[in-house]
Amino acid sequence: MAPFPPEPWPPALTSAQLDALTTAATTYALSHSLLYLPLSPPAPPPHPASAIHAPLALFPTPIPRALFSTAQRLQRAYNTLYARVALDAAFLDAVMGAGGVADVDEFTGALWETWKAVRDDCVQPLQLGLFRSDYLLHQPTADEPVRLKQVEFNTVSASFGALSQQVAALHRHLYASTSYFGASALLKPGCFPPNKTVRGLAAGIAEAHRAYGCPSAHVLFIVQPGERNIFDQRLLEYELLEAYNIRTLRQTFAELQTSASLSSTRALLTAGGEHTPNSPRPPHPTHAPPVPHSPHAPNAPIEAAVVYFRAGYTPTDYDGPKAYALRGLLERSRAIQCPSIALQLAGGKKVQEVLARPGVLERFVHDADDARALRETWVGMWGLDARRDEGAEEPEPAGTVLARARAPDLVLKPQREGGGNNVYRSSIPSFLSALPARERRAWIAMELIRPPAGVGGYLVRSGAPRAHADRVVSELGVFGWALFGRGQGVREQEAGWLVRTKADGVDEGGVAAGFSVLDSVLLVD
């Protein structure tokens, strides 16, 4: 069996070559919006006054061409799968609702209760999902083939699509301008796959905007206060305006609690906020009265066609009952939610575990080949509350007993997004001992994926004197979108990709949290 990667990675460089590539990479990043806002001083200015380049890898990451193609192909099956899960209220109630996760996880319970209270009063049949399916390469031993295994599926605030497009362009630029000093035969033009993620994600939002039927309505970005990853969002906003003449509005949950309202026809209106500059407004359709909007009247109400959440995935985004009430108001509006509460719940780790049980996936995926291909990307998963016999009395559920026994090979996951929430390996036994019995149903155990050994990279962070060489682990994410509704079918597309790379031995993987850097794909045969 041929080794992976086919030759030592990254290629060896002299100090002068490494410095030259680092300078070329960082200046390209600063010139092409591959940026982050810096950590704010105690009294930040009201508008961004400076930026730093995002953390990045100097070389792209080798990924087998066949596995990359598989991940792209499977995204369309995953798009449809999670659209169908979001439409199955009975399934979500059983898994994430009362008697399930909602009983023992306060955040999930609050989302589910909000959805339960409003779902019979919703007037918009369509939902939009901007998804990302994350994978690691799996090779437990050097004599086994490299496989593709899914880490998780993201249904809310799937980020870094735009910056990943920029870092892929950066790597192509470094190859075009330096040939990477001829350091590796693997670096050649046909091995840098195109990345058009901004176009792909914007196409999904534009499709939802078109379905809403009001050309002058905006796309509402719900964002976190003090967002540092703003350029990833801005590039998507610019694409919507330049390619589709769709204007956007940015507001936080706190701002919307005082600005958002519903019209008599359930149009979502919001006043003020930050919006893209006006271009000539097309005529407003006759099915609704015109909504005034002028740069000279910033508090005039603005109609939202799509609500795109880049916040709302963590409990800290909700400051109390008013925030959940706002989420319910948004859900009851005519604006298309991205995601709806149902679709956000569908992305829960417990749903991922339940789908892996025998026969459950086939409830939603009717093509046997697709179902088999999806299952091949999964590792073993089970709930900590799983029992050998549902009617038997056990001092500790079999799922928890198994997690103790196999702790060195496992990660435990709760129903959270955003990183920093999992429990790994040696920390598992003591965590299980402290975990209240009733909370076990909110956690799943997942077998650890074993990435190929011996892959390295040069990691570049703002302010560091030189790229840092390290053994690394890289995660491939594939984006997709789906516009769907009961009786409406599912319109969906694969929408691009990203790579995030971190030092080997680092369990968490967030770029914003400082664990990972942005990377791109180098196809190898």
Side-chain angles (χ1 to χ4, degrees):
M1 180 179 298
F4 180 85
E7 60 182 59
W9 199 261
L13 296 172
T14 67
S15 294
Q17 290 171 337
L18 183 57
D19 286 343
L21 285 176
T22 302
T23 298
T26 55
T27 53
Y28 183 96
L30 291 167
S31 302
H32 291 81
S33 300
L34 184 47
L35 301 173
Y36 248 52
L37 291 182
L39 289 170
S40 298
H47 305 292
S50 61
I52 59 175
H53 70 77
L56 55 92
L58 208 53
F59 283 83
T61 286
I63 292 180
R65 190 184 300 269
L67 296 185
F68 182 70
S69 296
T70 295
Q72 290 182 302
R73 176 177 55 82
L74 285 181
Q75 186 61 35
R76 303 196 65 177
Y78 272 118
N79 293 342
T80 301
L81 165 62
Y82 277 87
R84 289 173 177 168
V85 170
L87 292 172
D88 195 325
F91 176 80
L92 288 176
D93 283 347
V95 176
M96 302 294 280
V101 174
D103 281 358
V104 296
D105 183 281
E106 184 177 354
F107 178 51
T108 300
L111 286 176
W112 181 77
E113 289 287 355
T114 302
W115 178 48
K116 180 183 176 185
V118 304
R119 63 189 181 192
D120 292 333
D121 190 32
C122 292
V123 296
Q124 175 55 259
L126 291 173
Q127 305 177 42
L128 175 66
L130 295 188
F131 303 135
R132 195 186 69 226
S133 185
D134 292 334
Y135 304 91
L136 288 172
L137 298 181
H138 183 59
Q139 189 181 34
T141 64
D143 58 354
E144 295 183 64
V146 179
R147 295 184 174 89
L148 194 70
K149 294 297 180 181
Q150 188 185 59
V151 177
E152 63 182 359
F153 192 88
N154 301 274
T155 64
V156 57
S157 190
S159 59
F160 290 113
L163 293 195
S164 294
Q165 176 173 312
Q166 301 306 91
V167 79
L170 180 152
H171 287 151
R172 289 194 299 273
H173 166 77
L174 291 180
Y175 177 78
S177 60
T178 71
S179 299
Y180 278 103
F181 304 110
S184 171
L186 298 180
L187 293 158
K188 47 192 176 184
C191 296
F192 294 81
N195 188 335
K196 302 294 183 183
T197 303
V198 175
R199 179 189 300 173
L201 295 176
I205 296 175
E207 186 73 9
H209 189 276
R210 186 180 304 112
Y212 182 79
C214 177
S216 62
H218 286 51
V219 172
L220 171 62
F221 280 54
I222 300 184
V223 298
Q224 293 174 325
E227 175 64 74
R228 295 181 63 214
N229 191 25
I230 189 172
F231 300 97
D232 185 56
Q233 301 168 9
R234 289 295 194 188
L235 290 170
L236 186 53
E237 292 180 50
Y238 302 153
E239 179 74 9
L240 288 169
L241 184 64
E242 294 163 9
Y244 299 99
N245 195 32
I246 295 173
R247 291 180 293 280
T248 58
L249 173 74
R250 298 171 61 85
Q251 289 199 344
T252 65
F253 268 97
E255 290 167 335
L256 285 167
Q257 286 178 39
T258 59
S259 69
S261 63
L262 301 186
S263 74
S264 60
T265 61
R266 299 277 192 95
L268 175 62
L269 306 178
T270 180
E274 184 186 337
H275 53 81
T276 48
N278 277 325
S279 55
R281 289 170 59 85
H284 200 286
T286 57
H287 72 266
V291 177
H293 178 60
S294 165
H296 305 294
N299 291 320
I302 300 165
E303 182 174 0
V306 179
V307 181
Y308 175 41
F309 287 87
R310 291 297 292 257
Y313 55 85
T314 178
T316 55
D317 287 336
Y318 298 82
D319 58 3
K322 288 184 178 180
Y324 291 104
L326 169 66
R327 189 73 190 267
L329 180 142
L330 299 173
E331 196 88 0
R332 291 176 55 247
S333 76
R334 284 199 290 111
I336 296 172
Q337 306 296 299
C338 178
S340 67
I341 300 177
L343 187 53
Q344 183 169 341
L345 291 171
K349 304 299 186 293
K350 190 64 178 178
V351 170
Q352 185 181 12
E353 180 263 313
V354 171
L355 287 172
R357 297 176 188 175
V360 178
L361 173 65
E362 289 72 16
R363 172 174 174 172
F364 303 101
V365 178
H366 309 136
D367 183 283
D369 290 337
D370 281 347
R372 181 169 52 254
L374 294 180
R375 286 192 179 278
E376 287 177 355
T377 67
W378 296 344
V379 295
M381 290 175 275
W382 64 87
L384 295 185
D385 61 334
R387 296 182 178 272
R388 292 186 181 89
D389 183 342
E390 288 299 322
E393 289 295 329
E394 299 173 354
E396 195 169 57
T400 301
V401 173
L402 185 59
R404 286 186 190 278
R406 296 191 55 194
D409 301 315
L410 299 178
V411 54
L412 305 185
K413 296 185 176 184
Q415 312 307 304
R416 292 290 182 275
E417 303 297 334
N421 303 298
N422 300 335
V423 180
Y424 292 86
R425 303 181 186 89
S426 60
S427 299
I428 289 175
S430 60
F431 173 81
L432 291 174
S433 296
L435 183 68
R438 68 183 303 271
E439 295 183 17
R440 291 171 181 148
R441 75 179 70 167
W443 289 78
I444 71 165
M446 177 181 287
E447 293 175 348
L448 286 170
I449 301 168
R450 304 292 184 183
V455 180
Y458 294 105
L459 312 184
V460 184
R461 291 182 169 86
S462 181
R466 176 176 287 173
H468 178 61
D470 232 329
R471 291 299 174 192
V472 300
V473 172
S474 296
E475 187 170 309
L476 170 68
V478 180
F479 290 94
W481 63 263
L483 181 65
F484 60 95
R486 195 171 305 280
Q488 305 280 328
V490 180
R491 285 170 273 174
E492 54 77 30
Q493 287 292 330
E494 180 261 323
W497 51 269
L498 65 73
V499 177
R500 292 169 297 176
T501 292
K502 63 184 180 182
D504 191 16
V506 175
D507 288 326
E508 296 297 341
V511 175
F515 298 111
S516 295
V517 305
L518 296 171
D519 202 342
S520 75
V521 172
L522 181 72
L523 298 175
V524 296
D525 296 309

